[in-house]
Amino acid sequence: MKTVKLTAETRKDILNTLLKRSPNNYGQYEATVAEIVGNVRENGNKAVFEYTKKFDKWDINENNIRVTDAEIDEAFSKTDTEFVEVIKRAVANIDAFHRKQLHNSWIDTKPDGSILGQKILPLAVSGVYIPGGKAAYPSSVLMNVIPAKVAGVKKIIMTTPAGPDGKVNAGTLVAAKIAGVNEIYKIGGAQAIAAMAFGTESIPKVDKITGPGNIFVALAKKACFGYVGIDSIAGPSEILVIADETANSRYVAADLLSQAEHDELASSILITTSETLAKEVVAQIDGFLQELSRSEIIKASLEQYGYILLADSMDDAVEAANAIASEHLEILTKDPFNVMTKIENAGAIFIGEYSSEPLGDYYAGPNHILPTNGTARFFSPLNVDDFMKKTSIISYSREALERDHKDIELFANKEGLSAHANSIKVRFE
């Protein structure tokens, strides 16, 4: 993990390094993904089955592509009761948080007879992608499905890859059942995204696709955007910790490593005004690496994208944090709420030493599907609005239109659109 003095130059260098992790910089895979997407769009199940057999190594067909009730029952039997209860408590927290995001349709009427409003409706069908393979992510099931359910989406389908035995991770199935997924299909990769975007003989077309995935999944979502809505094109995970001399170095080190273990491209950054804390954190990291199970991944991540930045002041630290716009931002300072008020760009903010990042990953309630690679400057966490569509309502009386018709005609004529102007003008000839 590199320790450097925070300056305008080092901040620029770090930003450039971090941006290299964006899926937008992996153009060498786009042709492969485009071929997969095009094949699935053209050939449906046939292409999906071919790719699944090739990449996931099991004999998929139209009879076993969908997870059955018996498979879900089997998943519950394999999952310990304590974990099932934890999932249920997490669901309650996530549901309660997202219900506060709901908006209602509205109508505004005026004495002149004009009526303006907005009709808000849920999407009809939502698609969720959940990774499989080396790791399982029941928490991502909850974070993608619950806001859709709260929004009122009637049909939620999920795709997730199965192992060579044709089985899906038990925890993933349990979370999907508890969260309220309607249909689950045992496919993964770019082919799963294309199947949901265009529909196949077995898989219904959806209105929007959400959920994390590898570079092929991310690029497939990018390729299908416009045919279907997507949440974002997410990059590798990242954490930034702002800390001063009052911070507990052991906590800081543990929190930095919580993201570094995701994969070799994950980023962990500490910005501190205390050189003493910086040295203590390095020592704590060295100790943790002796005992953590994914230490090789963590080491690779820290070597490439791990930084400790020494800032002259807390204002400098905040300025750098806003420039980096990290997915997760922890504030471990003497006056963390004051620092929080100065943060403008972050996916999620964690305040105080008992609010470590995994609290948001699993349990507290806010969504853990967050903007990455600096996109927190203009993107938001996944939320209920992502599963709603808004339609404007306009109704004018003759009286109301008569007051404004000359303004509208002038506007249309200035744009050279005489038919637009005429559409208004004929009503007052």
Side-chain angles (χ1 to χ4, degrees), residues 20-310:
K20 293 175 184 176
R21 301 154 56 247
S22 169
N24 291 322
N25 290 325
Y26 288 86
Q28 68 268 36
Y29 302 117
E30 287 185 344
T32 299
V33 169
E35 181 182 347
I36 293 172
V37 169
N39 192 6
V40 172
R41 184 181 184 185
E42 181 71 23
N43 297 302
N45 273 359
K46 180 177 181 291
V48 169
F49 297 163
E50 288 174 353
Y51 288 124
T52 301
K53 291 173 184 177
K54 178 180 179 180
F55 297 126
D56 296 336
K57 312 298 183 186
W58 68 283
D59 190 20
I60 188 173
N61 58 59
E62 63 275 6
N63 296 318
N64 62 15
I65 185 174
R66 182 172 170 179
V67 172
T68 64
D69 290 341
E71 287 175 299
I72 293 174
D73 291 341
E74 181 185 5
F76 271 88
S77 71
K78 291 181 176 179
T79 306
D80 63 84
T81 304
E82 184 180 10
F83 183 43
V84 172
E85 293 306 312
V86 167
I87 290 175
K88 290 179 179 178
R89 290 195 289 272
V91 166
N93 292 341
I94 299 165
D95 182 273
F97 179 86
H98 286 84
R99 287 196 180 278
K100 296 182 184 298
Q101 299 174 343
L102 280 168
H103 299 291
N104 296 317
S105 301
W106 57 271
I107 291 287
D108 182 34
T109 61
K110 294 181 179 179
D112 63 7
S114 62
I115 301 173
L116 299 176
Q118 189 174 72
K119 186 176 183 180
I120 302 176
L121 291 170
L123 303 180
V125 186
S126 177
V128 180
Y129 183 86
I130 300 298
K134 297 179 181 178
Y137 300 99
S139 60
S140 288
V141 176
L142 307 185
M143 294 296 180
N144 282 279
V145 174
I146 292 171
K149 294 292 288 187
V150 170
V153 176
K154 292 292 191 294
K155 186 173 184 179
I156 301 174
I157 74 163
M158 186 176 94
T159 60
T160 187
D165 59 355
K167 300 282 188 181
V168 174
N169 176 269
T172 297
L173 294 183
V174 168
K177 178 65 175 179
I178 293 173
V181 175
N182 299 100
E183 300 172 11
I184 306 170
Y185 296 92
K186 297 184 279 187
I187 57 171
Q191 61 271 24
I193 301 300
M196 288 191 284
F198 300 108
T200 75
E201 298 89 332
S202 296
I203 301 169
K205 173 178 168 51
V206 305
D207 298 314
K208 188 163 192 171
I209 300 172
T210 66
N214 63 19
I215 187 63
F216 294 97
V217 169
L219 291 176
K221 288 168 73 175
K222 181 180 179 181
C224 293
F225 178 63
Y227 298 101
V228 67
I230 63 171
D231 49 354
S232 65
I233 304 168
S237 190
E238 54 200 28
I239 186 171
L240 189 152
V241 178
I242 297 177
D244 62 15
E245 71 282 357
T246 67
N248 183 313
S249 61
R250 187 167 177 80
Y251 296 171
V252 173
D255 294 354
L256 291 169
L257 300 184
S258 71
Q259 295 308 292
E261 77 168 343
H262 272 296
D263 63 57
E264 292 85 349
L265 294 177
S267 168
S268 301
I269 298 174
L270 166 64
I271 307 179
T272 181
T273 52
S274 171
E275 190 170 352
T276 299
L277 177 73
K279 292 177 180 178
E280 291 175 353
V281 168
V282 170
Q284 291 287 349
I285 287 174
D286 290 341
F288 280 127
L289 287 174
Q290 305 304 313
E291 57 189 65
L292 293 172
S293 61
R294 295 168 67 88
S295 60
E296 292 306 312
I297 293 174
I298 293 172
K299 288 177 184 177
S301 169
L302 295 182
E303 285 173 7
Q304 296 181 89
Y305 304 109
Y307 294 92
I308 297 177
L309 305 179
L310 297 174

Side-chain angles (χ1 to χ4, degrees), residues 114-117 392-396:
S114 62
I115 301 173
L116 299 176
S392 300
I393 297 170
I394 303 168
S395 176
Y396 266 41

